[in-house]
Each structure stands twice: as structure tokens, then as C-alpha cells.
Amino acid sequence: MTQKVAETYDHLADKHFTAISKVIESRVGIKLPPAKRTMVEGRLRKRVRALGLSGLQAYGVHLFDRDGLDDELIHLIDCVTTNKTDFFREPSHFEFLRDVAVQQLTQRHGGRPPNLKVWSAAASTGAEAYTAAMVLQDMVAAGKVARFSILGTDISTEVLREARSAIYPRAFVEPVPSPMQQRYLMRSKDPRDDLVRVTPELRRQVHFERLNLMDESYPFDRDVDVIFCRNVLIYFDRATQQEVLSRLASHLRPGGYLMLGHSESMAGSGVDRLRSVAPTIYQAGLAVNGRSAA
Ligand SMILES: C[S@@+](CC[C@H](N)C(=O)[O-])C[C@H]1O[C@@H](n2cnc3c(N)ncnc32)[C@H](O)[C@@H]1O
């Protein structure tokens, strides 16, 4: 039997798919309704091969009947998360960062070129964090920003490994304007390699750590200037979205900005510390007598 035909007959047992959905929803916040079953099974086949198991039935038994779940969870999460990202994705956010946010934050930093902290809170393979780094490094060169540091976090260890390596296929960096490609991307020495790497100058200012946005608190600074949390809230239910937004808001300095994905919104989140200043961009108000003021 060819591998393709074998896979056609290879499925998770119903009880194992249900159990996987429950684990993922409770630990990661992502819903896996029955409509996602084929996608999940397709992605888990590489784990079946990596573990040398006979198929998805055996994978379910390995997880739930043979106590394999604890060791496998990290890989299970890698398989079920959707990591689509791009350089300069939703470019209006980076234009806002360059044209509005830095100027406003400069005032909050006493009128001097600011030292900025940026957090990419669902960083995937790092394109969002390095895009912000390119924009801010240009502003450092122009004397408008003193320094910056960028933290990228994600729940998936696999994407974090790629983000730290900062190596991408040439086609993937096409959205980066050519002058920035010249300044911030290095071609591989081997011309047969169609890969580029972010320059050490930028890499030094960006680092990555694992964080589950479902955690009750985040062990990071509470004076962040700009948080990107884009294209992840859509996977969470409403209650989880509200909790995540409220925690993120508590990490912004007064006047700091939160950028959400273009199909995401704070509407009805009950987080009154943030006000809308542009589509999907929110700004933290100043605390006045413990209460929020814009
Ligand atoms: C679609 S990508 C978005 C990447 C980037 N923010 C962008 O907009 O291009 C969503 C990312 O969220 C991550 N993610 C999903 N659930 C998460 C959670 N509970 N905590 C942290 N990251 C999570 C996934 O691993 C994935 O890399």
C-alpha cells in the first residue's frame, strides 16, 4: 500500500480526537471543532512517523492510554498551532509605529529620543518582531529613537527556534522594501542556498522566549511601549480573549500602544485602560488616582 492510501485509512479514534481537543483548548486556548479534524490528523502524521508508531490510532493510545501526553504535549502544540506570518504583514501598523507612535512616545519620554521596549506577543517565526526592528533601526539611524529592544514570545517551540535562527527563504522576505533588504538582510555565502539571514546588528536587539498567553501572569516588564498581539486572539473564545487583553494592557506603560490583527477588536472586552486611536490600534491611558484616563 502506498503511504497516501495508508493515510486515507488512518484516523484518530473519536475519543482520542475529543481528548486532544479538550487538552488543546484548556492548555492553549485554541478550539479544535470536528471541522478541524482532517487538518489536525494531517499535521499529526509527522509525529506518528517521528515516534515510529503504526498510525494515528496508535498515537492516540500512546498519548492517553500509555501516559505519553506529558512528553508529547510540546510537539502536539507545535502541530496544532497555525503559524502563518509575514514580514510587513498589515503594514499600516508599522507606518503608525514610525509616523505616530514614536513621536507620541518621545513626548512621554521627556522629549528626548526614547529607549523603546516592544513586545511581539504571538511572534511565530519572528517576521513581526524583525519588521519592527527594521523600522526602529532606521529611526535610530535618523536620531529619532535612542535604542530599542524587542521581545518575541510564542507558545510553539518550533517557531521560536526558527525565529532565533533568523534565517528565511528569499521568497519569504519579498515584502521587505529593497533598501531595508540591503541594510538588514544578508545573503547566504553559498549561492545555491536561497536563504537570507537577519543581520547581527538587528538580531542583538531582538530575543525570543516561550510564553503561553493563557498563563495567569506574564513574567515580563510592565513599561512596554508597543505590544503587537496580532492574529492569535481569533483562535480564543471570548472569555479568554478578555483575560489576555486585560493582562497585556497591564504591561503597557501609560501612553503605550497595543496593535491587534485586522480582524480582531477590543470591543466589549471590558478593558477600559485602552482606547481606540486607529483601526485595531489602542493606547493605554494615564492612571489618575488609580483610575484610567486617556
Ligand atoms: C497566526 S500566527 C500570528 C503571527 C504574527 N503575530 C502575525 O500576525 O503575523 C499565531 C501565533 O500564535 C501562537 N499561539 C497560539 N496560541 C498561543 C498561546 N496560547 N500563547 C502564545 N502563543 C500562541 C501560535 O503558535 C502562532 O505562532
Side-chain angles (χ1 to χ4, degrees):
M1 216 175 353
T2 64
Q3 185 175 324
K4 199 92 206 129
V5 174
E7 286 176 355
T8 310
Y9 294 101
D10 179 31
H11 297 288
L12 286 165
D14 288 350
K15 64 173 183 182
H16 291 150
F17 177 73
T18 306
I20 288 175
S21 304
K22 278 195 183 138
V23 168
I24 293 298
E25 186 169 359
S26 69
R27 306 277 184 102
V28 187
I30 296 176
K31 279 191 177 306
L32 294 177
K36 296 251 168 102
R37 185 168 175 155
T38 308
M39 180 274 284
V40 170
E41 289 181 339
R43 291 184 181 182
L44 290 179
R45 287 200 173 98
K46 73 172 183 190
R47 290 305 304 155
V48 169
R49 287 192 289 276
L51 292 166
L53 296 169
S54 59
L56 286 165
Q57 295 265 351
Y59 184 72
V61 170
H62 171 74
L63 290 189
F64 300 108
D65 302 334
R66 303 225 170 109
D67 288 338
L69 181 62
D70 283 353
D71 286 346
E72 183 61 12
L73 187 60
I74 215 158
H75 303 292
L76 190 56
I77 291 171
D78 282 343
C79 286
V80 299
T81 49
T82 297
N83 310 114
K84 184 191 156 23
T85 190
D86 277 311
F87 279 89
F88 285 90
R89 183 179 195 184
E90 299 172 3
S92 62
H93 288 154
F94 300 102
E95 287 156 18
F96 186 93
L97 175 67
R98 184 193 60 205
D99 299 337
V100 182
V102 167
Q103 204 179 19
Q104 300 263 320
L105 289 163
T106 302
Q107 289 170 17
R108 307 262 182 200
H109 283 259
R112 289 179 303 281
N115 181 4
L116 296 176
K117 286 185 192 171
V118 176
W119 179 9
S120 166
S124 186
T125 52
E128 185 173 89
Y130 291 122
T131 300
M134 289 176 188
V135 169
L136 292 176
Q137 188 60 36
D138 271 6
M139 300 194 83
V140 169
K144 293 181 176 164
V145 168
R147 278 197 310 273
F148 66 90
S149 61
I150 300 183
L151 170 67
T153 61
D154 202 284
I155 195 171
S156 163
T157 48
E158 202 165 302
V159 293
L160 289 171
R161 192 180 42 72
E162 289 180 45
R164 288 188 187 108
S165 82
I167 297 172
Y168 302 98
R170 281 260 288 282
F172 186 67
V173 301
E174 260 168 27
V176 179
S178 325
M180 281 184 163
Q181 291 200 23
Q182 307 277 334
R183 285 196 287 279
Y184 302 126
L185 297 171
M186 305 176 305
R187 297 239 169 109
S188 165
K189 289 195 186 93
D190 182 345
R192 289 163 304 177
D193 250 2
D194 227 11
L195 299 173
V196 296
R197 188 170 198 198
V198 176
T199 55
E201 177 195 34
L202 283 200
R203 292 204 312 270
R204 271 195 295 276
Q205 300 171 87
V206 183
H207 79 278
F208 293 93
E209 284 181 37
R210 184 161 190 257
L211 174 79
N212 185 351
L213 288 167
M214 298 277 285
D215 287 352
E216 276 176 15
S217 64
Y218 307 148
F220 300 129
D221 295 346
R222 292 189 173 269
D223 57 351
V224 178
D225 294 280
V226 181
I227 298 177
F228 291 87
C229 183
R230 307 189 311 163
N231 304 303
V232 65
L233 293 176
I234 35 168
Y235 299 109
F236 300 157
D237 65 23
R238 205 164 173 72
T240 307
Q241 289 178 356
Q242 290 181 358
E243 286 161 18
V244 170
L245 285 168
S246 157
R247 284 194 285 271
L248 289 175
S250 73
H251 284 266
L252 280 174
R253 63 154 50 235
Y257 294 91
L258 172 67
M259 318 258 191
L260 301 183
H262 278 179
S263 60
E264 296 162 334
S265 155
M266 297 271 310
S269 69
V271 181
D272 56 8
R273 189 174 177 231
L274 297 178
R275 66 183 177 116
S276 169
V277 289
T280 62
I281 303 179
Y282 302 85
Q283 187 176 27
L286 291 169
V288 179
N289 296 333
R291 295 200 352 247
S292 173

